[in-house]
Amino acid sequence: MTQDVYDVIIIGGGPAGLGAALYASRDRYKTLILEKYFPGGQIMTTDRIENYPGFESIDGASLIMKMQNQVETFGTEIKTSAEVTGLKKLDSGLIQVVCDEDAYVTRAVILSPGSSYRKLGAPGEEEFRSAGAGVSYCGTCDAPFFRDKEVVSIGGGNTAVEETLHLAKYASKVTMLHRREEFRAARVLVEELEAKAQAPDSNLVIRYNSVCTAIEGDGKCQSAKVKNVKTGTVEDVPCDGVFIFVGTVPNTDFLKDSVELTEAGFIKCDTARLRTSMPGVFVAGDCRTGADMQLITAVADGVSAAMALKEYYRDPNWWTAKEVEDMQPSGF
Ligand code: NAP
């Protein structure tokens, strides 16, 4: 039996993968998304998106559902629970995408596996890792379990600020730890956070220059050891939960034998055309070098990768053009 050959297989069904699928399937390329869990990636756990044009405010799951419906309308096939374990270039020039229980053949690949929560590495983090025991990486998912309880949140980026504001709607008290004096998050969010913390009878306390060195408890989280990195003082902060929002790491382990990665695991690419080190394999989204790590730029990356793919199919010499300047623009 001959196997179907896809025009493009997109690995990862988050915003980047869905952006790529929209353009690829509208070009009538036979398009397959392979998704380890279900479409959406990390944005699924965001309860308030205010920086995606056209939507004053929308939650991640609703936005992804709209994107998924849209790509399926144009013919994209989506396989869920399909974990890719590697890529293989075949003698025919086609690419084999190997999954746990299956393998697919395609002319080209767009990698958009996204990223995962970065761990803090503190003692107790693994032991209490579950909403029931007290350690969580997702305020949107787990905040309701901490209604009228005290929690600690950690981090200073957009995620930490947004999720801490969300936690403060449920918890009786939120102690937010940031290891520096300045937040990395967007100013507009920091202003909202600071205003909330300064409001009379606020349930939100921000501790600057503070890190969590251990999470402690008997069977479940009961306190966080908090160290002030400027003064060296250490204090036990009683809490029922610790929410960790210290960034993300790319989901690229399965690619280490096929495409070049940086030491931190990001997929190396030429940022103008999103080509990886393996001919016929493009990249889009948070997992690549130079990514802006925004929802909107992830979607745009997927679109750019799909447009680059079109150039690649149109001109066989396109991939090997040494200089980006040698290439024709992919837009019109
Ligand atoms: P991030 O921007 O990388 O921020 C991570 C934060 O965690 C930083 O404040 C960092 O501190 C802190 N941190 C890292 N390691 C730590 C450790 N071991 N102990 C204590 N603190 C630690 O990560 P993110 O907030 O998850 O955001 C990831 C990307 O998604 C960003 O580009 C962000 O803009 C984007 N994002 C966008 C939106 C939106 O557009 N609405 C929402 C969420 C996320 P330092 O600042 O000192 O390094």
Side-chain angles (χ1 to χ4, degrees), residues 46 48-51 118-120 154-160 162 177-180 182-185 189 210-211 245-248 286 292-295:
T46 300
R48 190 176 54 142
I49 298 164
E50 295 176 334
N51 55 359
R118 178 180 287 133
K119 306 290 176 296
L120 194 62
I154 304 169
N158 281 336
T159 304
E162 285 179 353
L177 313 179
H178 180 35
R179 65 182 179 185
R180 294 191 288 140
E182 251 178 56
F183 279 98
R184 184 180 290 272
L189 289 174
S210 297
V211 295
F245 309 119
V246 296
T248 54
D286 291 4
D292 283 326
M293 306 283 192
Q294 303 298 302
L295 166 62

Side-chain angles (χ1 to χ4, degrees), residues 118-130 135 137 214-215 244 246:
R118 178 180 287 133
K119 306 290 176 296
L120 194 62
E125 182 176 6
E126 279 305 316
E127 185 184 346
F128 302 122
R129 191 181 165 185
S130 74
V135 172
Y137 301 85
I215 299 164
I244 300 169
V246 296

Side-chain angles (χ1 to χ4, degrees), residues 71-332:
V71 303
E72 285 177 330
T73 302
F74 289 109
T76 295
E77 197 184 327
I78 300 178
K79 283 194 198 297
T80 53
S81 306
E83 179 165 8
V84 176
T85 53
L87 302 180
K88 212 163 112 190
K89 196 91 182 173
L90 302 175
D91 291 343
S92 58
L94 296 171
I95 299 164
Q96 188 182 44
V97 179
V98 184
C99 291
D100 264 349
E101 290 172 0
D102 250 321
Y104 303 88
V105 178
T106 179
R107 294 165 69 202
V109 169
I110 297 177
L111 300 170
S112 50
S115 52
S116 301
Y117 303 121
R118 178 180 287 133
K119 306 290 176 296
L120 194 62
E125 182 176 6
E126 279 305 316
E127 185 184 346
F128 302 122
R129 191 181 165 185
S130 74
V135 172
S136 170
Y137 301 85
C138 179
T140 306
C141 324
D142 295 334
F145 297 115
F146 294 85
R147 191 182 290 280
D148 301 327
K149 294 185 173 176
E150 298 194 7
V151 299
V152 164
S153 74
I154 304 169
N158 281 336
T159 304
V161 174
E162 285 179 353
E163 295 283 74
T164 298
L165 284 166
H166 184 70
L167 284 169
K169 292 181 203 158
Y170 292 87
S172 56
K173 182 176 179 187
V174 183
T175 304
M176 182 181 197
L177 313 179
H178 180 35
R179 65 182 179 185
R180 294 191 288 140
E181 264 158 36
E182 251 178 56
F183 279 98
R184 184 180 290 272
R187 202 55 229 158
V188 67
L189 289 174
V190 177
E191 284 166 10
E192 189 180 339
L193 182 83
E194 287 171 345
K196 169 84 186 158
Q198 285 157 15
D201 301 324
S202 177
N203 64 342
L204 170 62
V205 176
I206 305 171
R207 291 198 181 194
Y208 299 92
N209 301 311
S210 297
V211 295
C212 173
T213 56
I215 299 164
E216 295 175 338
D218 188 3
K220 61 190 184 104
C221 165
Q222 288 167 320
S223 68
K225 218 169 245 322
V226 177
K227 180 178 178 184
N228 184 303
V229 292
K230 282 227 160 140
T231 62
T233 53
V234 178
E235 194 189 327
D236 286 325
V237 174
C239 59
D240 303 291
V242 174
F243 283 78
I244 300 169
F245 309 119
V246 296
T248 54
V249 287
N251 299 327
T252 53
D253 265 6
F254 70 101
L255 293 167
K256 56 183 188 297
D257 296 328
S258 44
V259 300
E260 279 181 33
L261 305 176
T262 67
E263 219 167 286
F266 291 94
I267 298 168
K268 290 188 184 175
C269 67
D270 78 283
T271 52
R273 291 294 177 265
L274 303 177
R275 294 171 300 187
T276 69
S277 59
M278 185 172 181
V281 179
F282 296 85
V283 62
D286 291 4
C287 58
R288 74 166 175 87
T289 50
D292 283 326
M293 306 283 192
Q294 303 298 302
L295 166 62
I296 185 169
T297 53
V299 174
D301 242 23
V303 173
S304 298
M307 294 188 83
L309 174 79
K310 195 171 170 180
E311 289 300 313
Y312 173 53
Y313 283 155
R314 193 178 287 166
D315 173 8
N317 297 318
W318 183 91
W319 190 276
T320 48
K322 290 268 189 309
E323 301 293 333
V324 168
E325 287 75 15
D326 288 346
M327 300 181 201
Q328 292 303 307
S330 57
F332 303 102

